[in-house]
Amino acid sequence: MATMTYIEALARGMWEEMERDPTVFLIGEDIGAYGGAFKATKGFQAHFGEERVIDTPLSEAAIVGASVGASLLGLRPVAEMQFADFVTCGFNQMVVNAAKTHYRWGLPVPMVLRLPTGGYIHGGPYHSTSPEAWFFHVPGLKIVAPSTPYDAKGLMKAAIRDNNPVIVLEFKYLYRRLKGEVPDTDYVVPIGKAELRRQGNDLTVVTYGTTTGFVLDAAERLAAEDGMEAAVVDLRSLMPWDKDRVLEAVRQSGKVLVVHEDAVTGGVGAEIAATIASESFRDLDAPVRRVGAADVPVPFAPALEEAVLPDTERILAAMKELARY
């Protein structure tokens, strides 16, 4: 078992799938000789060749559109957006063509769309978007959101093998900050299965992606400072999301906080809170709370970015308030 960074684990997942399946290929801007905007595909073109690691013009619409066409012909494209923000230029191809083809004609669309996502890197309003809510609402798409190197490799491999279009949210803040043990063996993390990262009966926090680490830090401080134990559920997949696992945690604690990096209004947390209120209301001892980004574009200035995005202090404050309810 090797210790890898988050981005190394994502790359390892793609590499293994390309070696296992000759129909898998990569497509995107500067992913060949340059190795990608974040070097996730460094060395891939030299090993697999230009026909399987394809540099494209600066056109996200063409990248996603070509991927949809290739997948309909039996290939398994893995398309990269340099930043998730730019996927808006390929939005029509993804939500109209990719998402609806199976329902329209019953055909598989086995493509992966990689989206380097989120902030905390001082990238400013055009390079820090959390786009999951745009696609969460679209039937026909799957969305995965790994928070560990182990899950990054396993979910990438699961996404490539899936016959549905799958969006892989890659959290840029974690790319080289987070390391973990990753098995050398062939494994997948099932799409749609959450992971209980921490046990606790006083409250439950549901989260995913970058904020998982902040939540775990806050949970340890809550235990040390107030003697309260919080369960932490890492969704890992946003569509489908593991409703059974979340509702089980609700029944155990009766108090729920949903945390994500994306803006609160219309975010994934709103759907989770609504589901809990609808299906597990009698198990609640307090209103479901949410913590997320402010409803503004992510600022460039570090101090303003810190003020907009959720952090450990803000999460801890919400946990303490909920625990006291």
Side-chain angles (χ1 to χ4, degrees):
M1 186 175 296
T3 299
M4 295 184 184
T5 63
Y6 182 88
I7 195 170
E8 288 171 340
L10 288 164
R12 189 63 200 168
M14 291 188 286
W15 188 284
E16 290 182 9
E17 289 305 293
M18 291 185 73
E19 288 195 323
R20 187 188 64 83
D21 183 349
T23 69
V24 179
F25 73 95
L26 311 184
I27 183 169
E29 300 160 358
D30 290 330
I31 66 168
Y34 188 68
F38 294 95
K39 304 300 183 186
T41 56
K42 182 180 180 180
F44 275 65
Q45 193 176 68
H47 183 78
F48 293 104
E50 294 183 358
E51 292 187 351
R52 296 186 67 194
V53 183
I54 302 171
D55 277 322
T56 70
L58 297 179
S59 173
E60 287 76 18
I63 294 168
V64 179
S67 298
V68 174
S71 65
L72 291 173
L73 293 174
L75 301 177
R76 292 185 178 272
V78 180
E80 177 184 300
M81 300 287 104
Q82 289 193 334
F83 289 84
D85 313 58
F86 307 154
V87 74
T88 51
C89 297
F91 199 76
N92 179 66
Q93 286 79 358
M94 199 63 192
V95 305
V96 175
N97 302 129
K100 296 177 181 175
T101 294
H102 174 73
Y103 294 93
R104 182 65 176 83
W105 294 294
L107 298 174
V109 187
M111 64 170 288
V112 170
L113 183 61
R114 296 179 46 230
L115 300 183
T117 295
Y120 302 102
I121 62 167
H122 315 321
Y126 302 108
H127 299 84
S128 304
T129 294
S130 295
E132 55 265 39
W134 298 343
F135 301 105
F136 186 70
H137 185 67
V138 178
L141 299 179
K142 294 183 178 181
I143 307 171
V144 299
S147 68
T148 68
Y150 179 93
D151 287 353
K153 175 184 169 182
L155 284 169
M156 177 62 76
K157 290 167 72 71
I160 292 173
R161 296 182 190 185
D162 203 292
N163 281 335
N164 293 278
V166 182
I167 292 173
V168 178
L169 300 179
E170 302 178 2
F171 297 90
K172 301 192 296 289
Y173 179 76
L174 304 180
Y175 267 164
R176 290 179 171 82
R177 288 180 174 83
L178 186 62
K179 293 182 178 180
E181 292 187 337
V182 178
D184 299 323
T185 55
D186 179 26
Y187 71 93
V188 298
V189 172
I191 295 175
K193 294 296 183 184
E195 179 75 10
L196 182 64
R197 299 288 182 198
R198 191 181 191 280
Q199 301 273 358
N201 292 321
D202 293 312
L203 70 155
T204 296
V205 186
V206 180
T207 187
Y208 57 89
T210 293
T211 50
T212 302
F214 301 155
V215 168
L216 288 170
D217 290 342
E220 292 303 318
R221 286 183 55 185
L222 181 71
E225 296 172 11
D226 291 20
M228 309 291 283
E229 297 294 345
V232 178
V233 177
D234 176 6
L235 289 177
R236 305 199 294 184
S237 294
L238 306 186
M239 184 52 67
W241 62 281
D242 194 345
K243 184 172 67 174
D244 291 342
R245 189 69 192 86
V246 170
L247 295 183
E248 179 184 348
V250 172
R251 287 191 289 271
Q252 291 176 349
S253 71
K255 297 178 179 178
V256 184
L257 174 67
V258 186
V259 178
H260 51 57
E261 181 183 341
D262 192 13
V264 170
T265 302
V268 171
E271 176 63 24
I272 294 171
T275 300
I276 293 170
S278 175
E279 301 189 22
S280 200
F281 182 77
R282 294 178 185 276
D283 298 311
L284 291 174
D285 293 325
V288 179
R289 294 287 308 277
R290 290 178 288 157
V291 171
D295 291 331
V296 297
V298 178
F300 181 80
L304 295 178
E305 183 184 39
E306 291 172 5
V308 165
L309 298 178
D311 59 12
T312 300
E313 294 297 332
R314 201 175 308 167
I315 295 166
L316 178 62
M319 292 170 73
K320 288 189 173 187
E321 183 178 345
L322 183 61
R324 289 194 299 266
Y325 188 92

